[in-house]
Amino acid sequence: MSYLFPNYGRWPIRITKGEGNYLWDEAGNRYLDLVSGIAVTSLGNVPPQVKVKVQEQLDTLWHCSNLFEIPVQEKLAAKLTSLTCGNRAFFCNSGAEANEAAIKLARRYQQKVQKQNRYEVITFEQSFHGRTLATLTATGQAKVKDGFDPLPEGFVTVPYNDAEALSAAITEKTCAIMLEMVQGEGGVHPASPEFVEHIKALCAEHDLLLIVDEVQTGIGRTGKWFAYQHYNVEPDIITMAKGLGSGFPIGAIVGKEKLAEAFGPGTHGTTFGGNPLACAAGLATLETIEENEYLARVEEMGAYFIEKLNRLSEACPDVVNVRGKGLMIGVELAFEAAPVVAKMREQGILLLQAGPNMLRLLPPFTIEKEEIDHAAQALEEVLNATAQTV
Ligand SMILES: *Cc1c(COP(=O)(O)O)cnc(C)c1O
């Protein structure tokens, strides 16, 4: 019997140790980690360069209220603004909190700075933005909302990559558009460049803010620091979390200078957000990506992995489609993905699902070609075996 609420469908393995691209369970079995804690441990498990910096911070200062100036938080903010089109940062503890902050900032900017009664946020079908009441309302998936009525007002969901539907949803109450550049939980769907151009034009025409949810795609996952940088667009607010702290809980938003006025003293806050330990982990993560030129590596390994999977799809008719950007990869199957995930786990390889028929692979940036070869080979065998039983 477990004393935990049963709100996760947990896999029946007990993980006790991680190192580099591998995890170990209590019984000592080793697993190749293509999950990375859902795009969190992007530098591998317990990355040495981050560990050293967190240990230094552990010896110096653990926590400090945001009533004080915190140098390491300032440093991380400076770094993040240098990597994005944003000028100001706010730190929190998770992806949902980052999106919550973005929604609050967008509304407050429209209402207090622009002096317009605008509050509606347009989001997209199959999107995922988090589990707080506002962010689950923003999420375009019914299962996430089931049983949580009444939901907050002011959210409208339209089909993804559908310019006409988006245009039709804009009213005088529209405040912002919030999107994932590549939908993660919703099945690894990239936004089309034409759709992003359309969004850009609509935001300019109607004075809307563009919020890009980079909680999963950010911090190098797609081969650029942020996925919006694959497109010709500058969001007003970028949200991030998962990969930022290498496993240390931290979330952030980065926004344009014009928004600073909307978040004056006392408007928003959190006790733990921007905690020195979390910021030290974040700063070390960004420095490690830079020093090791991991963005180029993500591009290279992602292309290599996708090429392997494309070859597999030619040989295996049950692979319907392979898509992705960098090391965020989806493999769409002709049948349920769950048994494939379970059989891969039995083979010592961990991967994820994203929707009923979709495998999702989020390997660490440190993945090696031999490990990709091994995973592709195992997947081919598992798919062939599974196809015979369904
Ligand atoms: C995971 C995720 C979130 C929620 O992040 P939490 O840290 O779980 O609150 C929000 N948006 C996207 C795109 C995500 O992938």
Side-chain angles (χ1 to χ4, degrees), residues 38-40 93-99 127-132 135 139 178-186 213-217 239-242 250-251 328 360:
I38 315 190
V40 169
N93 314 285
S94 69
E97 264 183 86
N99 287 335
S127 64
F128 184 82
H129 298 299
R131 302 284 194 163
T132 64
T135 59
T139 293
M178 178 150 110
L179 95 154
E180 292 163 273
M181 305 311 296
V182 183
Q183 289 189 335
E185 306 301 308
D213 178 349
E214 297 253 15
V215 170
Q216 188 159 157
T217 51
T239 71
M240 63 198 77
K242 291 190 165 98
I250 179 169
M328 182 170 179
R360 183 171 33 149

Side-chain angles (χ1 to χ4, degrees), residues 91-375:
F91 293 103
C92 53
N93 314 285
S94 69
E97 264 183 86
N99 287 335
E100 190 87 26
I103 294 163
K104 284 181 70 177
L105 178 58
R107 282 188 177 174
R108 204 161 198 287
Y109 172 76
Q110 297 285 16
Q111 292 171 28
K112 294 288 179 178
V113 181
Q114 297 290 80
K115 310 223 183 306
Q116 303 205 49
N117 182 26
R118 296 175 160 207
Y119 56 85
E120 251 170 33
V121 177
I122 301 179
T123 67
F124 299 94
E125 286 174 8
Q126 296 308 119
S127 64
F128 184 82
H129 298 299
R131 302 284 194 163
T132 64
L133 280 168
T135 59
L136 75 81
T137 308
T139 293
Q141 301 185 42
K143 64 177 187 217
V144 171
K145 309 182 192 202
D146 189 30
F148 297 116
D149 287 335
L151 301 179
E153 266 181 71
F155 294 89
V156 178
T157 304
V158 302
Y160 193 54
N161 282 333
D162 183 337
E164 239 172 82
L166 176 59
S167 292
I170 291 171
T171 71
E172 71 281 4
K173 300 283 179 221
T174 309
C175 152
I177 296 171
M178 178 150 110
L179 95 154
E180 292 163 273
M181 305 311 296
V182 183
Q183 289 189 335
E185 306 301 308
V188 194
H189 289 286
S192 76
E194 305 77 54
F195 188 55
V196 174
E197 283 302 320
H198 186 73
I199 290 176
K200 213 169 110 177
L202 285 176
C203 286
E205 186 187 343
H206 299 278
D207 271 328
L208 311 177
L209 295 176
L210 176 58
I211 304 169
V212 163
D213 178 349
E214 297 253 15
V215 170
Q216 188 159 157
T217 51
I219 323 295
R221 178 52 57 188
T222 69
K224 296 209 185 273
W225 282 108
F226 293 91
Y228 81 82
Q229 292 162 343
H230 291 283
Y231 299 80
N232 177 29
V233 68
E234 286 201 354
D236 298 291
I237 307 173
I238 303 145
T239 71
M240 63 198 77
K242 291 190 165 98
L244 180 53
S246 292
F248 218 97
I250 179 169
I253 65 170
V254 177
K256 291 251 168 104
E257 183 62 34
K258 68 177 182 189
L259 303 170
E261 197 187 333
F263 256 6
T267 51
H268 188 55
T270 153
T271 300
F272 289 125
N275 168 295
L277 282 169
C279 287
L283 200 55
T285 299
L286 300 178
E287 285 169 357
T288 304
I289 291 173
E290 226 160 34
E291 281 159 21
N292 295 289
E293 297 181 6
Y294 276 150
L295 297 186
R297 195 188 162 90
V298 170
E299 289 247 5
E300 185 195 344
M301 292 301 158
Y304 184 78
F305 213 148
I306 288 173
E307 188 204 307
K308 280 259 151 189
L309 292 166
N310 275 329
R311 248 185 272 162
L312 167 61
S313 86
E314 282 160 26
C316 181
D318 298 312
V319 177
V320 176
N321 185 236
V322 176
R323 56 181 181 260
K325 266 199 166 74
L327 284 171
M328 182 170 179
I329 302 169
V331 181
E332 192 178 341
L333 304 177
F335 44 76
E336 291 261 301
V340 176
V341 172
K343 280 191 193 142
M344 287 294 280
R345 189 169 67 234
E346 285 160 23
Q347 302 292 315
I349 300 171
L350 304 179
L351 39 83
L352 281 165
Q353 240 180 291
N357 291 5
M358 196 75 186
L359 298 173
R360 183 171 33 149
L361 285 64
L362 299 165
F365 303 170
T366 45
I367 189 96
E368 301 284 350
K369 282 191 175 159
E370 301 74 58
E371 291 162 340
I372 293 174
D373 293 345
H374 171 65

Side-chain angles (χ1 to χ4, degrees), residues 19 30 54 64-65 77 190 246 269 279 324 329 369 387:
E19 193 185 311
R30 189 181 84 154
V54 172
C64 174
S65 162
S246 292
C279 287
I329 302 169
K369 282 191 175 159

